[in-house]
Amino acid sequence: LVLLSIYFNKQFNLMLQTDPGFRTKDIIQANMIYESNDYSSYTSETVNQRKERVLAIDQLIDNCPDIQSWTTGFYSILGFDYSAGFRNAKGELVTLNQSYVTDSFFKLFEIPFIEGDLSEADKEQGGEIIVVNRAALAALGYTSCKGATIINEQMRKIKPDLQAQPIGAVIEDYYDRHVGLGARPMVFIVNKRLKGDYYQIACYPGKTQVVINYLKDIQKKVYGTEDFKYSLLDDDVAALYKNDRRIAMVYAIFACIGIIIICLGLFGISLFDIRQRYREIAIRKVNGASVKVILNLFFKEYLILLIISSFTAFPLGYLIMKHWLEGYVKQTPISFWMYGGIFAGMLLIIFLSIIWRVWKAARQNPAEIIKSE
């Protein structure tokens, strides 16, 4: 239990300390547009009214001095899962996680480019730009985006004459889900502007609450409602590890309970064992044995039991952790010093559990013990 608790907490801390590869601090995620998704219900007049409201929201956000940057889309950066098939220049089919984003997306989340850029997206007439991450580039069989192309297999079925699109840039991998699952291959279709209702807003440091209050005022001004729902990206990332945090706590609690039971058991066994051997201790003292010799005698017996139990517990714990860690791409190293630390800790517990009783028995007058026994 102690071994599993330490391992799990080490793995949990590793996941928490791992940089997800994108900015999470001072970012608000909110659905800012409260409009009907039933587009068949719109008339030309209501469409124009919707556009006016959306434009008003965008302008108000632009005018906020506490907002560093923002982007719109259809979903959060976390956990969006839409896989699509893409073919490389050799015609090989590769499954990639597909997302539609704006050119502001990478700047807002501070995702670094490792090759290429979005210079075409800055042009007014610039169309879609294809961006992939490092994992997707490798999955497609390319080492560089220069001359690299892909074609959406699903779109080609709809439009047989669809031409392959060049890959404009490559970004660094990031973890959009649980770190233990690793970074998946991603492709981004980048547009100058998306019509999504989901806003992701980066605030200047220390201005998050000010911006939240400002966004609430926008909702009230545009839609006349105070029902503003939002989340902080930091909290959303932490929620990914909620279950891991719970399991780590359970392991720690059971390990502590196990240690308490061990202490009680050792104290009870040693109490019974030493009480049964009072006469032996007295005879040894009469024959010149010191308190130190008697302590060593009992301590060696319990040490042998600890060694035997360690030969059972340590390999079993190692196999359990090895099997459990196979489910994680990013794994905490199995450090063998940990076994030595646990062994030393259990040795100390044994020593503290028996020393008082042995010391008390060894300090008694041997003549009185032999007479009474």
Side-chain angles (χ1 to χ4, degrees):
L1 283 172
V2 174
L3 184 65
L4 294 178
S5 175
I6 292 174
Y7 264 129
F8 199 95
N9 277 280
K10 279 192 64 172
Q11 177 68 19
F12 177 63
N13 289 329
L14 174 69
M15 292 184 295
L16 287 184
Q17 293 168 8
T18 300
D19 183 5
F22 57 89
R23 175 182 172 180
T24 61
K25 186 74 172 174
D26 298 314
I27 292 183
I28 302 167
Q29 301 190 118
N31 192 330
M32 293 293 297
I33 300 175
Y34 292 86
E35 304 283 351
S36 173
N37 291 323
D38 182 11
Y39 291 97
S40 62
S41 64
Y42 284 97
T43 64
S44 57
E45 182 180 355
T46 55
V47 166
N48 289 331
Q49 290 174 353
R50 173 192 170 110
K51 287 180 179 178
E52 289 175 3
R53 286 191 289 266
V54 173
L55 182 61
I57 291 172
D58 292 349
Q59 288 176 343
L60 288 168
I61 292 176
D62 278 334
N63 293 336
C64 180
D66 300 313
I67 292 178
Q68 190 173 10
S69 59
W70 62 278
T71 185
T72 58
F74 304 101
Y75 31 71
S76 167
I77 188 175
L78 294 176
F80 177 72
D81 190 6
Y82 177 74
S83 298
F86 290 84
R87 293 193 182 275
N88 59 14
K90 296 180 180 179
E92 298 168 336
L93 185 64
V94 178
T95 301
L96 306 176
N97 195 63
Q98 178 181 324
S99 299
Y100 286 88
V101 300
T102 68
D103 56 325
S104 302
F105 175 86
F106 306 100
K107 179 182 177 181
L108 186 148
F109 290 106
E110 299 177 2
I111 301 172
F113 284 84
I114 58 175
E115 188 180 5
D117 55 44
L118 294 178
S119 57
E120 291 297 320
D122 294 330
K123 298 178 181 178
E124 284 295 325
Q125 301 301 320
E128 291 182 349
I129 295 179
I130 303 299
V131 175
V132 299
N133 66 347
R134 189 191 294 271
L137 190 71
L140 290 164
Y142 297 125
T143 57
S144 171
C145 69
K146 294 179 180 178
T149 61
I150 59 172
I151 186 167
N152 190 316
E153 182 65 16
Q154 186 175 0
M155 294 299 295
R156 193 172 69 166
K157 290 179 181 178
I158 300 172
K159 189 178 179 181
D161 60 343
L162 183 67
Q163 299 296 313
Q165 293 177 279
I167 297 176
V170 182
I171 61 168
E172 190 57 82
D173 292 337
Y174 67 82
Y175 302 104
D176 67 327
R177 49 185 183 168
H178 197 291
V179 169
L181 299 175
R184 51 185 169 180
M186 301 177 181
V187 58
F188 301 88
I189 291 84
V190 184
N191 292 273
K192 187 69 178 175
R193 168 79 178 162
L194 287 178
K195 297 179 180 179
D197 299 346
Y198 200 74
Y199 283 64
Q200 293 168 308
I201 301 167
C203 313
Y204 284 104
K207 297 293 183 180
T208 302
Q209 190 56 52
V210 176
V211 173
I212 290 172
N213 294 334
Y214 182 79
L215 296 176
K216 287 180 180 178
D217 291 339
I218 291 177
Q219 291 290 289
K220 189 173 182 180
K221 181 177 181 180
V222 176
Y223 291 108
T225 179
E226 295 183 357
D227 184 24
F228 176 61
K229 297 179 180 179
Y230 69 94
S231 67
L232 299 178
L233 187 55
D234 264 338
D235 295 338
D236 294 338
V237 171
L240 295 175
Y241 306 101
K242 184 178 180 180
N243 189 52
D244 297 274
R245 185 178 287 105
R246 187 184 300 114
I247 295 174
M249 186 178 296
V250 168
Y251 270 121
I253 290 171
F254 274 96
C256 290
I257 293 172
I259 291 172
I260 293 171
I261 293 172
I262 287 169
C263 292
L264 292 174
L266 284 171
F267 186 79
I269 291 172
S270 63
L271 183 65
F272 177 78
D273 188 27
I274 294 166
R275 186 67 187 83
Q276 291 291 100
R277 297 170 68 179
Y278 266 17
R279 188 177 181 86
E280 178 189 341
I281 294 171
I283 293 172
R284 288 180 180 274
K285 284 199 69 178
V286 169
N287 286 291
S290 65
V291 175
K292 182 179 179 182
V293 170
I294 295 171
L295 278 171
N296 287 337
L297 175 67
F298 281 89
F299 191 68
K300 284 178 181 178
E301 292 180 4
Y302 287 96
L303 177 60
I304 291 170
L305 291 175
L306 176 62
I307 292 172
I308 293 172
S309 63
S310 296
F311 272 108
T312 304
F314 287 166
L316 182 61
Y318 175 84
L319 291 174
I320 291 173
M321 286 306 305
K322 194 72 175 174
H323 176 71
W324 176 70
L325 287 173
E326 287 176 358
Y328 293 88
V329 174
K330 198 173 186 65
Q331 302 177 359
T332 184
I334 297 179
S335 306
F336 289 97
W337 63 262
M338 193 186 304
Y339 295 89
I342 294 173
F343 185 88
M346 298 308 297
L347 200 61
L348 180 61
I349 290 173
I350 290 173
F351 181 75
L352 294 176
S353 299
I354 68 172
I355 185 172
W356 177 71
R357 295 299 307 176
V358 176
W359 179 269
K360 184 178 178 181
R363 295 288 293 177
Q364 287 186 350
N365 188 336
E368 292 180 3
I369 292 175
I370 294 173
K371 185 188 299 183
S372 62
E373 293 287 332

